[in-house]
């Protein structure tokens, strides 16, 4: 059976970060389109309602708007779920090809159809950062739809607050109906939050930062899970952690980048991947990826080279920070 590879030659294991970045850029463009279209539709509904002269006094009109906004958020959540499934499939296809290219000639691997039926659903569930334990402190209880529900609650709550404040101002100043409508339109526009997320420590996350994290972490998680699945099918348990070290690297990444780990944890010679993850590797936004170890002696030589390079990088970072 053929491998299904379309690339003439797979990039070396240590030179694949650009692939992740390219996949992130594609996902980011698609996600921005979904978000901005949804935001435009919601803005039009809010502005149309606020221009209605009876909106400030009519409970029925306001309830209609809340229902419309809720429906738009629900629809946006569905589109984001669809986006996640599409991106997972696209990224999985490419990293499966890379993982197969790393295997020795004749190594066992499944055709894409077999692989997708067996693994793709699990990859989708594991890949979503909304399910990551590292995000447990953030107000994202579960999947992307729950995150969208949180956004809806905040956004609709801000519009409600603007209506109440306008009522109070009108009662205190004796505003005319036209003045009430004008003030309400300004208040609603001014008070809506910028789709902020609030973590357990009270830190506000700008929406672009959150969705950037969602996109980047999804691509990286898919690459890792697919790499491990392909390697395990062929009987390879060891992986080298690729991606290097930079000045703002997470401490867990500095500690583990360039080391060999056991995906199953069964090795008595190498630490488990779970130990690396528990120490902070593969945190949200982490771009480190895995590459299968098929020739241990060669991999250990590469680990020594990477260790020397990492020590040099860390020393340069420390000197820069001390300057």
């Amino acid at each position: 059976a053929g491998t299904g590879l379309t690339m003439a030659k797979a990039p070396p294991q240590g030179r694949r970060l650009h692939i992740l970045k390219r996949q992130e850029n594609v996902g980011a463009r698609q996600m921005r389109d979904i978000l901005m279209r949804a935001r435009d539709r919601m803005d039009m509904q809010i502005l149309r309602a606020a221009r209605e002269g009876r909106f400030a006094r009519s409970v029925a009109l306001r309830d209609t708007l809340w229902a419309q906004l809720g429906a738009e958020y629900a629809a946006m959540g569905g589109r984001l779920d669809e986006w996640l499934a599409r991106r997972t499939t696209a990224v999985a296809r490419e990293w499966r090809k890379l993982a197969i290219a790393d295997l020795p000639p004749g190594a066992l691997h499944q055709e894409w159809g077999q692989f997708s039926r067996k693994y793709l659903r699990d990859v989708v569930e594991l890949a979503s950062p909304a399910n990551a334990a590292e995000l447990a402190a953030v107000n994202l209880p579960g999947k992307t739809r729950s995150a969208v529900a949180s956004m809806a609650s905040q956004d609709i709550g801000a519009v409600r607050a603007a209506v109440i404040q306008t009522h109070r101002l009108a009662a205190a100043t004796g505003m005319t109906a036209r003045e009430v409508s004008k003030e309400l339109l300004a208040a609603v526009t001014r008070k809506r939050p910028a789709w902020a997320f609030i973590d357990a420590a009270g830190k506000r996350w700008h929406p672009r930062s959150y969705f950037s994290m969602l996109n980047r972490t999804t691509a990286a998680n898919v690459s890792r899970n697919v790499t491990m699945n392909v390697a395990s099918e062929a009987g390879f348990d060891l992986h080298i952690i690729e991606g290097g070290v930079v000045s703002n690297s997470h401490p867990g990444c500095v500690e583990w980048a360039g080391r060999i780990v056991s995906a199953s944890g069964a090795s008595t010679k190498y630490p488990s991947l779970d130990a690396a993850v528990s120490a902070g590797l593969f945190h949200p936004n982490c771009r480190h990826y895995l590459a299968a170890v098929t020739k241990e002696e060669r991999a250990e030589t590469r680990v020594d080279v990477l260790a020397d390079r990492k020590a040099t990088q860390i020393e340069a970072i420390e000197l820069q920070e001390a300057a």
Side-chain angles (χ1 to χ4, degrees), residues 133-141 150 154 196-205:
E134 294 89 341
L135 294 186
V138 182
N139 186 25
L140 301 179
S150 177
Q154 292 181 59
F197 285 82
I198 303 175
D199 65 14
K203 174 186 174 184
R204 281 192 172 272
W205 284 27

Side-chain angles (χ1 to χ4, degrees), residues 13 101-105 107 231 234-240 242 260 269-270 291-304:
Q13 291 181 337
D102 292 339
L103 299 178
F236 295 101
D237 179 54
L238 299 180
H239 293 78
I240 189 168
E242 296 281 6
I260 294 175
K269 183 176 180 180
Y270 298 99
V293 173
T294 57
K295 293 185 178 180
E296 192 172 338
E297 297 81 4
R298 183 183 299 176
E300 288 181 336
T301 301
R302 175 161 169 72
V303 167
D304 291 338

Side-chain angles (χ1 to χ4, degrees), residues 11 222 287:
V222 170
R287 281 187 173 127

Side-chain angles (χ1 to χ4, degrees), residues 3-261:
T3 63
L5 291 171
T6 57
M7 59 185 70
K9 186 177 180 181
Q13 291 181 337
R15 295 288 184 269
R16 296 178 181 175
L17 188 57
H18 70 281
I19 295 176
L20 272 179
K21 291 180 179 179
R22 170 173 51 76
Q23 291 169 333
E24 290 168 14
N25 289 337
V26 172
R29 288 194 298 271
Q30 295 172 348
M31 180 180 280
R32 280 196 297 269
D33 184 64
I34 293 171
L35 295 173
M36 293 304 99
R37 286 175 183 270
R39 188 64 184 255
D40 288 346
R41 284 191 292 267
M42 294 179 206
D43 281 347
M44 288 302 299
Q45 290 174 343
I46 290 173
L47 293 174
R48 192 180 300 116
R51 290 192 179 105
E52 170 63 51
R54 297 180 298 113
F55 180 73
R57 303 185 304 276
S58 173
V59 173
L61 285 177
R62 295 201 299 271
D63 285 345
T64 297
L65 176 61
W66 312 149
Q68 290 172 337
L69 293 179
E72 286 289 353
Y73 274 108
M76 185 181 76
R79 286 189 286 271
L80 288 173
D81 280 350
E82 293 170 359
W83 167 87
L84 181 63
R86 289 196 308 272
R87 288 309 303 152
T88 297
T89 301
V91 175
R93 279 181 178 273
E94 188 162 7
W95 280 89
R96 173 182 163 275
K97 294 174 184 177
L98 293 170
I100 291 172
D102 292 339
L103 299 178
L108 174 69
H109 69 268
Q110 295 176 322
E111 293 300 318
W112 170 251
Q114 296 173 308
F115 179 88
S116 61
R117 284 192 298 272
K118 186 171 182 180
Y119 291 117
L120 201 54
R121 181 169 180 174
D122 290 341
V123 169
V124 171
E125 293 181 1
L126 290 170
S128 173
N131 297 321
E134 294 89 341
L135 294 186
V138 182
N139 186 25
L140 301 179
K143 300 182 179 179
T144 305
R145 284 181 181 270
S146 297
V148 171
S150 177
M151 291 176 66
S153 177
Q154 292 181 59
D155 219 9
I156 294 173
V159 179
R160 287 178 182 269
V163 172
I164 293 172
Q165 290 170 358
T166 302
H167 270 301
R168 291 172 178 167
L169 181 63
T173 61
M175 296 166 63
T176 65
R178 178 172 292 184
E179 289 171 337
V180 169
S181 179
K182 183 178 179 180
E183 174 59 28
L184 181 60
L185 180 59
V188 166
T189 304
R190 184 171 63 247
K191 293 293 185 180
R192 291 184 71 209
W195 290 8
F197 285 82
I198 303 175
D199 65 14
K203 174 186 174 184
R204 281 192 172 272
W205 284 27
H206 189 279
R208 184 174 180 182
S209 297
Y210 167 76
F211 286 110
S212 174
M213 180 277 298
L214 179 70
N215 176 55
R216 178 182 295 183
T217 307
T218 295
N221 282 350
V222 170
S223 78
R224 298 162 195 148
N225 282 289
V226 168
T227 297
M228 286 189 287
N229 286 336
V230 170
S232 66
E233 283 284 340
F236 295 101
D237 179 54
L238 299 180
H239 293 78
I240 189 168
I241 299 167
E242 296 281 6
V245 175
V246 294
S247 60
N248 62 344
S249 288
H250 186 281
C253 297
V254 173
E255 172 64 24
W256 289 90
R259 295 177 64 178
I260 294 175
V261 294

